[in-house]
Amino acid sequence: MANIAIFASGGGSNADRIIRYFQETDTTVSVLISNKLSSGAVEKANALGILVRVFTKQQFEHPIEIINLLVELKVDLIVLAGFLLKINLDLIHAFPDRIINLHPSLLPKYGGKGMYGKFVHQAVLFNKEKYSGISIHLVNEHFDEGRILEQHKVDVEEQDTIESLSDKIQQLEHEQLPKAIKQYLLKLKLH
Ligand code: GAR
């Protein structure tokens, strides 16, 4: 039995996969939290009947209300699925080793400030990398540097564009992220 909170700012394709994967299991997606009311993530969570809460950037910077909500919902694990604001230290300290981030590169390569979404793929193509991939890692005080739980690779072909590489990466994310969450919950003895 575990309760998950998803944080998402963007299109929400990963949030959608996670919610569907855990339907009919004893793991509950208790809430989707966003900084963007007009995001695909909010729309998808609403369509799937998941509780949605939207907070401002200021509220994420001073996250007492967010922490209170997570505690009230007895959330065991937070999953950042395309969440683009920095996670405040108070939140990290309130949920030590209980925040997972999804990053669209093989960290430590192409991580850090400004490296998200298509900017990652653009840099990978510019440097003519042979491989890219995804990293699923714990969140600590240092941006994109927490302990890596899993990494999965894809080939970068000469003819790849930002769009084609992004599609490959997203496909890999959709396949791997829900399973990785389940594995981590098992490790925490929560699944
Ligand atoms: C995903 O590709 C995720 O790896 C990336 O944002 C995308 C969100 O897609 N995250 C980052 O770049 C974090 N630094 P989605 O909204 O369709 O799930």
Side-chain angles (χ1 to χ4, degrees):
M1 277 281 282
N3 293 319
I4 298 178
I6 301 174
F7 283 32
S9 319
S13 67
N14 283 285
D16 185 82
R17 291 303 168 112
I18 298 165
I19 295 166
R20 290 177 193 275
Y21 182 88
F22 288 106
Q23 275 170 347
E24 323 284 327
T25 72
D26 43 351
T27 292
T28 305
V29 176
S30 306
V31 62
L32 180 127
I33 292 181
S34 184
N35 57 318
K36 214 170 163 201
L37 182 60
S38 63
S39 62
V42 166
E43 195 184 313
K44 289 184 168 78
N46 275 328
L48 290 164
I50 299 293
L51 175 70
V52 171
R53 286 286 180 269
V54 177
F55 292 96
T56 62
K57 191 164 183 264
Q58 289 68 28
Q59 286 172 308
F60 282 99
E61 284 166 0
H62 303 283
I64 186 67
E65 290 146 281
I66 299 172
I67 293 173
N68 286 343
L69 173 68
L70 295 168
V71 170
E72 194 183 307
L73 294 172
K74 298 189 168 47
V75 164
D76 303 293
L77 187 69
I78 299 168
V79 179
L80 311 183
F83 184 67
L84 298 180
L85 296 181
K86 197 157 190 244
I87 296 294
N88 177 275
L89 276 183
D90 292 344
L91 191 55
I92 294 174
H93 293 150
F95 289 87
D97 287 343
R98 298 295 179 107
I99 310 178
I100 289 182
N101 184 39
L102 168 68
H103 188 79
S105 78
L106 296 170
L107 290 172
K109 283 188 151 186
Y110 307 104
K113 208 168 185 311
M115 276 295 170
Y116 61 88
K118 73 171 186 167
F119 298 107
V120 173
H121 311 314
Q122 200 169 26
V124 165
L125 291 173
F126 182 80
N127 290 335
K128 301 198 184 314
E129 297 282 359
K130 293 268 176 290
Y131 304 101
S132 188
I134 64 169
S135 301
I136 297 163
H137 68 95
L138 296 179
V139 172
N140 68 10
E141 293 82 345
H142 308 287
F143 210 44
D144 288 340
E145 289 181 21
R147 180 157 66 85
I148 288 172
L149 300 174
E150 291 188 17
Q151 290 187 307
H152 300 274
K153 263 184 176 180
V154 285
D155 291 331
V156 180
E157 321 279 349
E158 244 175 74
Q159 65 274 21
D160 266 325
T161 60
I162 295 176
E163 287 69 33
S164 67
L165 183 55
S166 165
D167 287 349
K168 283 195 225 176
I169 294 276
Q170 285 243 301
Q171 198 185 328
L172 195 61
E173 293 178 338
H174 298 161
E175 282 164 21
Q176 299 297 337
L177 181 61
K179 290 195 276 180
I181 296 168
K182 183 176 168 187
Q183 281 310 313
Y184 192 59
L185 289 172
L186 281 170
K187 216 165 160 188
L188 295 173
K189 301 201 179 347
L190 287 172
H191 192 74

